[in-house]
């Protein structure tokens, strides 16, 4: 559980949070303090960092609030390390970096990625984060203008943009270390401090000094391990798919005239189909009222609903009576799926479409290093720079850059 506690409350620029990973995190100025105090940001205390992964890893109850403060700490260290190497970062750029990394996840909805496309349609959490930042910028008289420019990757100093969003950014450095800590999966425990010490800027771009190459390789390997062992763990994957199906079913029932008890904010999104073009200021305010608490309360309420599909899905999640999950390198045979569907439908007097809420397949993929994205660059001692893919040995590169696809098949452990 969270070990972060406010030690000071007066906005004097000397506030400190105690973090279980980094120790004391200092809040550098009043703007950052006021942003943290804002209800939009405080909402992150009620947004799970890792969705329903706590059903597999009991310690994974940390929140987006923890992660945002961790990112703030690492960015402070990064600015200090780069300035030590004579990299020019103005006070305005420093504030921009700190605000951008602090607010980069402010647009996440309940259970983070698990429900990203269930509450709203065709709109990413990054876009919602930008909407929140723009609204906060008005509230704080333009103080976030540089932060928004960096967040949108439009700042003329490319390395500022890369620190917030790239294949080796502050966001990834914190979430790998933090998620490793809270899940107990040691393979994800990267040396973020050493990587930051190895950062430099060449021709306006972020680079890693050559002596940090093995730290970069360890970072990429950790990312690969964490995806397969944690983020794409078959049980948490199945749980999150069930959560998605709960709200798909809830929307179907509402469209057919059923009434469902839930919070006002959640009811708004269940009764309205919200896409990118619909996401105006009023919708943003409704979204700001929504968090994990609304979802859990609704699921507990719907456990006794007369609709078998909805109530059964909710009971499966609350009681952790999860589906059986198999993972393979090839899709499941259609005949096997059809038989499971038919048997479950027959046993519970359901249509095949209703049974498909409990019997389904899908696929997941993982690629630790994407050769099509902006590359991680290594700075050589002789003054040249090269792509990390040319510095790593071929065996490591093949393993890290290859996109691996796996297929999952979910179905009830015991036929009802």
């Amino acid at each position: 559980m969270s070990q972060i506690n406010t030690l000071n409350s007066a906005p004097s620029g000397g506030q400190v949070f105690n973090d279980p990973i980094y120790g004391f995190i200092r809040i550098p100025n009043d703007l950052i303090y006021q942003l943290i105090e804002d209800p939009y940001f405080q909402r992150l205390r009620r947004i799970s960092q890792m969705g329903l992964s706590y059903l597999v890893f009991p310690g994974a109850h940390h929140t987006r609030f923890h992660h945002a403060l961790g990112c703030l700490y690492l960015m402070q260290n990064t600015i200090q390390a780069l300035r030590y190497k004579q990299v020019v970062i103005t006070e305005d750029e420093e504030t921009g970096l700190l605000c951008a990394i602090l607010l980069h996840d402010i647009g996440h909805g309940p259970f983070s990625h698990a429900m990203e496309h269930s509450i709203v349609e065709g709109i990413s959490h990054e876009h919602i984060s930008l909407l929140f930042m723009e609204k906060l910028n008005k509230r704080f008289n333009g103080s976030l203008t540089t932060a928004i420019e960096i967040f949108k990757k439009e700042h003329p100093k490319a390395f500022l943009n890369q620190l917030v969003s790239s294949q080796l950014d502050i966001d990834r450095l914190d979430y790998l270390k933090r998620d490793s800590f809270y899940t107990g999966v040691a393979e994800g425990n990267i040396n973020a401090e050493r990587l930051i010490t190895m950062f430099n800027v060449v021709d306006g771009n972020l680079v890693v000094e050559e002596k940090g190459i093995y730290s970069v390789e360890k970072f990429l390997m950790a990312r690969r391990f964490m995806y397969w062992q944690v983020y794409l763990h078959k049980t948490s994957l199945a749980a999150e798919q069930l959560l998605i199906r709960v709200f798909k079913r809830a929307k179907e029932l509402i469209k057919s005239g059923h009434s469902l008890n839930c919070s006002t904010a959640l009811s708004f999104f269940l009764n309205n189909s919200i896409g990118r073009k619909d996401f105006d200021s009023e919708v943003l305010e409704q979204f700001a009222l929504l968090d994990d608490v609304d979802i859990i309360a609704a699921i507990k309420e719907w456990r006794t609903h007369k609709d078998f599909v909805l109530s059964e899905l909710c009971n499966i999640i609350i009681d952790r009576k999860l589906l059986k999950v198999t993972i393979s390198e090839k899709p499941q045979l259609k005949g096997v799926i059809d038989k499971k569907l038919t048997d479950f439908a027959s046993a519970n007097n359901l249509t095949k479409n209703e049974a498909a809420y409990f019997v389904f397949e899908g696929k997941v993929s993982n690629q630790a290093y994407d050769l099509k994205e902006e590359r991680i660059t290594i700075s050589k001692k002789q003054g040249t720079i090269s792509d990390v893919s040319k510095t790593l040995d071929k065996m490591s590169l093949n393993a890290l850059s290859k996109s691996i696809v796996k297929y999952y098949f979910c179905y009830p452990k015991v036929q009802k």
Side-chain angles (χ1 to χ4, degrees):
M1 293 294 288
S2 168
Q3 296 295 315
I4 294 182
N5 301 292
T6 308
L7 300 184
N8 292 320
S9 57
S12 62
Q15 297 73 34
V16 177
F17 288 85
N18 188 10
D19 181 71
I21 297 173
Y22 307 125
F24 294 127
I25 298 176
R26 182 180 60 83
I27 307 306
N29 57 52
D30 288 350
L31 174 61
I32 298 294
Y33 177 84
Q34 295 299 333
L35 287 172
I36 291 172
E37 286 288 284
D38 193 273
Y40 288 165
F41 190 84
Q42 288 294 314
R43 169 181 161 273
L44 297 183
R45 291 182 184 269
R46 304 184 301 278
I47 302 292
S48 171
Q49 170 79 5
M50 295 180 61
L52 291 174
S53 292
Y54 64 81
L55 293 176
V56 180
F57 305 98
H61 278 282
H62 55 303
T63 67
R64 289 282 158 183
F65 186 87
H66 293 93
H67 170 55
L69 289 182
C71 287
L72 176 71
Y73 173 83
L74 292 182
M75 188 65 84
Q76 288 176 293
N77 288 359
T78 301
I79 292 168
Q80 184 178 14
L82 291 176
R83 280 177 172 164
Y84 182 79
K85 296 176 183 179
Q86 310 305 312
V87 176
V88 176
I89 300 174
T90 68
E91 285 190 18
D92 178 66
E93 290 163 356
E94 176 182 8
T95 299
L97 277 173
L98 295 178
C99 291
I101 201 64
L102 181 73
L103 302 175
H104 77 282
D105 274 345
I106 199 170
H108 265 297
F111 292 101
S112 295
H113 295 287
M115 298 191 69
E116 185 158 356
H117 301 292
S118 297
I119 303 295
V120 293
E121 301 167 8
I123 180 169
S124 67
H125 75 271
E126 290 92 351
H127 182 72
I128 300 173
S129 292
L130 178 60
L131 295 178
F132 274 124
M133 290 173 72
E134 289 172 342
K135 193 150 190 177
L136 287 168
N137 197 33
K138 293 179 181 177
R139 191 178 300 171
F140 288 93
N141 301 315
S143 300
L144 301 181
T145 300
T146 301
I148 290 171
E149 194 176 24
I150 292 171
F151 183 80
K152 293 167 69 175
K153 306 195 77 169
E154 293 177 354
H155 196 282
K157 288 187 177 180
F159 77 92
L160 301 179
N161 308 327
Q162 292 157 356
L163 284 171
V164 173
S165 179
S166 67
Q167 292 203 77
L168 181 57
D169 56 28
I170 298 303
D171 173 36
R172 295 184 185 192
L173 291 184
D174 181 78
Y175 79 62
L176 285 175
K177 194 172 184 70
R178 187 167 300 278
D179 295 350
S180 168
F181 176 87
Y182 280 101
T183 59
V185 177
E187 289 82 355
N189 187 19
I190 61 169
N191 192 339
E193 292 79 6
R194 174 163 174 79
L195 276 165
I196 286 171
T197 304
M198 294 297 107
F199 281 169
N200 209 334
V201 175
V202 175
D203 297 330
N205 289 289
L206 186 68
V207 301
V208 179
E209 294 170 354
E210 187 175 14
K211 55 188 175 181
I213 182 62
Y214 295 114
S215 295
V216 174
E217 184 174 358
K218 170 69 163 51
F219 162 80
L220 293 173
M221 290 295 291
R223 190 163 185 267
R224 181 184 178 212
F225 288 139
M226 285 294 285
Y227 267 86
W228 286 126
Q229 290 183 241
V230 178
Y231 305 130
L232 299 178
H233 188 285
K234 66 177 186 177
T235 305
S236 57
L237 185 109
E240 291 179 358
Q241 286 296 318
L242 287 170
L243 187 60
I244 291 168
R245 282 161 169 75
V246 164
F247 285 91
K248 179 183 176 184
R249 184 61 173 180
K251 288 181 178 181
E252 284 184 354
L253 291 174
I254 287 173
K255 283 183 180 179
S256 63
H258 290 79
S259 62
L260 296 176
N261 293 328
C262 61
S263 69
T264 302
L266 183 55
S267 178
F268 175 85
F269 288 97
L270 286 175
N271 283 278
N272 296 280
S273 180
I274 304 296
R276 191 183 181 103
K277 63 178 177 21
D278 309 303
F279 217 96
D280 56 19
S281 181
E282 179 187 346
V283 172
L284 186 67
E285 288 304 314
Q286 288 292 329
F287 190 85
L289 298 174
L290 205 56
D291 55 51
D292 291 10
V293 178
D294 299 82
I295 307 305
I296 292 296
I299 292 175
K300 290 177 68 178
E301 177 70 21
W302 299 341
R303 292 180 73 175
T304 57
H305 195 276
K306 63 182 180 181
D307 178 72
F308 173 84
V309 174
L310 181 64
S311 61
E312 185 66 13
L313 288 171
C314 292
N315 280 308
I316 286 173
I317 293 172
I318 293 295
D319 295 333
R320 201 190 177 280
K321 304 296 184 182
L322 302 175
L323 303 177
K324 175 74 174 176
V325 189
T326 61
I327 298 282
S328 61
E329 295 181 358
K330 295 181 180 180
Q332 187 58 253
L333 295 174
K334 189 175 184 301
V336 174
I337 299 173
D338 286 343
K339 186 175 189 315
K340 292 285 186 185
L341 269 172
T342 302
D343 289 349
F344 189 77
S346 176
N348 296 281
N349 195 29
L350 302 173
T351 66
K352 268 201 169 184
N353 285 338
E354 291 172 332
Y357 277 95
F358 305 90
V359 181
F360 53 86
E361 62 174 340
K363 65 179 181 179
V364 291
S365 63
N366 173 232
Q367 185 176 19
Y369 184 60
D370 192 343
L371 295 172
K372 296 178 183 178
E373 297 290 329
E374 187 175 21
R375 308 291 184 88
I376 298 173
T377 306
I378 304 299
S379 172
K380 300 292 188 67
K381 290 180 181 178
Q382 57 269 37
T384 60
I385 60 172
S386 68
D387 187 301
V388 70
S389 63
K390 296 179 181 177
T391 311
L392 292 175
D393 65 75
K394 193 170 183 180
M395 185 178 294
S396 294
L397 177 64
N398 289 341
L400 294 169
S401 62
K402 183 180 179 182
S403 180
I404 301 173
V405 178
K406 293 184 180 180
Y407 298 86
Y408 62 87
F409 176 43
C410 303
Y411 55 92
K413 292 178 182 178
V414 180
Q415 298 288 3
K416 291 271 180 177

